[in-house]
Amino acid sequence: MNPIRHRFARLLLLAAVGAGALMSTATAAAADARPAFTPPSAASLPDTEFGKIVRQGEQIFLHTPQNASKFVGNDLNCASCHLDAGRRPDSAPMWAAYVLYPAYRAKNGHVNTLAERLQGCFRFSMNGKPPAADDPVLTALQTYMFWLASKAPTGVALKGQGYLKLPAPAQKADYVRGSEVYAQYCAVCHGAEGKGQKNGEHWVFPALWGPDSFNWGAGMHQIGNAAGFIKANMPLGQAGMLSDQEAWDVAYFMNAYERPQDPRYTESVAKTRAKYHDSDDSLYGIEVNGHLLGSDSPAPGGKLTQAAAR
């Protein structure tokens, strides 16, 4: 082909691809009829006794092991999975969650209060133990969430609520492809072995698997949740860079490693999978690369369990 004609054809192809992406984005935006909401700015926090508790909740949210040490078994913060201090849409923002509780949850088969929902976060995502419903830690967190949701409609699913729901991947999520995506885009922050990174004693990037990460009961171990979070938020500062397929693949890769045991463990990996993980969305109890996931998990509770054993 003539070089000029070839170049022109390539430009037309790129333009068509770009237009298709724009149309797809516009169609997705039009399909999302949920109302938008913007939480109040940090600068608008009231200088009152109420504002003092809101600030406490914010600090617990940002620096959870330091401010709720009795209940946290790993080194994750609430903000590790709920970015921008729980403000960012499609990162399970706190303002969108607050207005939807109490709510029925299939995970435990009954209506959960917001306090119970947060207790589950400490038990699973923080690999720790739940504070009492009236503990000052939960009071501060709920007060912070209430303030973020100020003036939001109650009982309404808001735009950006939860994690992004990706369509099923064109190809089944794949460990090898996921390992390549991880090496290229994720390892620089989270480490080649998924251990995260510290600056002194302060964790800058969280562990994605292993003993310092969330346990098998956490929502992020579900491949769909992880893929949606990754697609909307990662790589940090370059959200949306990965294709849907890459997000699914790297989510599979990330969750194909051992992490602390599900604290609901019942007799065996097989029985625990049958009761709590019987879904294509979970790799618990599945053999990956010759290893049965869940069979060599560290005990749940992390630092709290270790301290109690001393």
Side-chain angles (χ1 to χ4, degrees):
M1 180 185 289
N2 182 290
I4 295 177
R5 291 180 63 190
H6 175 75
R7 185 178 179 187
F8 182 67
R10 179 173 172 77
L11 287 173
L12 285 176
L13 176 61
L14 290 172
V17 170
L22 287 173
M23 288 177 65
S24 177
T25 301
T27 301
D32 189 351
R34 297 175 296 176
F37 176 75
T38 302
S41 68
S44 67
L45 257 171
D47 188 17
T48 61
E49 286 301 311
F50 172 78
K52 177 182 175 182
I53 303 302
V54 173
R55 286 184 174 87
Q56 287 178 6
E58 181 185 48
Q59 288 306 302
I60 293 168
F61 199 89
L62 292 171
H63 310 290
T64 317
Q66 292 80 10
N67 293 296
S69 59
K70 295 186 296 184
F71 309 112
V72 178
N74 56 28
D75 291 298
L76 273 65
N77 301 300
C78 300
S80 297
C81 296
H82 310 277
L83 303 183
D84 295 346
R87 294 170 172 275
R88 185 183 294 191
D90 296 320
S91 183
M94 296 297 97
W95 44 265
Y98 184 86
V99 299
L100 294 179
Y101 280 87
Y104 176 85
R105 298 191 74 218
K107 183 170 184 173
N108 51 26
H110 63 264
V111 171
N112 289 204
T113 63
L114 181 59
E116 185 176 4
R117 179 67 181 87
L118 293 174
Q119 287 173 326
C121 291
F122 278 98
R123 188 182 184 201
F124 301 117
S125 296
M126 314 307 291
N127 192 34
K129 65 178 184 180
D134 61 350
D135 190 275
V137 165
L138 286 193
T139 298
L141 285 171
Q142 289 177 89
T143 304
Y144 177 56
M145 293 174 68
F146 169 83
W147 178 75
L148 285 175
S150 298
K151 301 180 182 178
T154 302
V156 176
L158 300 170
K159 190 175 295 185
Q161 177 247 338
Y163 295 124
L164 198 63
K165 305 300 181 190
L166 294 182
Q171 303 178 69
K172 186 178 179 180
D174 180 77
Y175 179 93
V176 174
R177 289 197 307 266
S179 70
E180 295 168 353
V181 176
Y182 186 87
Q184 183 173 358
Y185 297 109
C186 314
V188 65
C189 292
H190 296 285
E193 297 179 358
K195 294 180 179 180
Q197 290 194 53
K198 280 184 174 180
N199 179 10
E201 292 300 311
H202 174 66
W203 282 83
V204 181
F205 300 109
L208 299 181
W209 62 83
D212 295 320
S213 190
F214 51 87
N215 66 42
W216 280 112
M220 196 60 80
H221 100 277
Q222 295 173 314
I223 301 171
N225 280 342
F229 174 83
I230 291 164
K231 172 68 178 181
N233 300 290
M234 296 290 137
L236 196 64
Q238 302 176 73
M241 168 185 282
L242 301 182
S243 68
D244 287 5
Q245 184 68 58
E246 287 172 324
W248 279 107
D249 289 340
V250 78
Y252 184 100
F253 173 79
M254 178 183 95
N255 281 306
Y257 287 92
E258 285 287 16
R259 57 190 64 261
Q261 183 60 264
D262 190 326
R264 303 165 299 179
Y265 180 88
T266 303
E267 297 183 53
S268 68
V269 170
K271 289 187 177 181
T272 304
R273 176 172 175 83
K275 189 169 184 179
Y276 298 112
H277 300 276
D278 189 16
S279 162
D280 291 340
D281 207 27
S282 174
L283 292 178
Y284 182 91
I286 299 297
E287 189 172 299
V288 177
N289 296 333
H291 176 73
L292 181 68
L293 291 168
S295 64
D296 194 30
S297 296
K303 294 184 293 185
L304 299 180
T305 299
Q306 295 163 19
R310 293 192 189 109

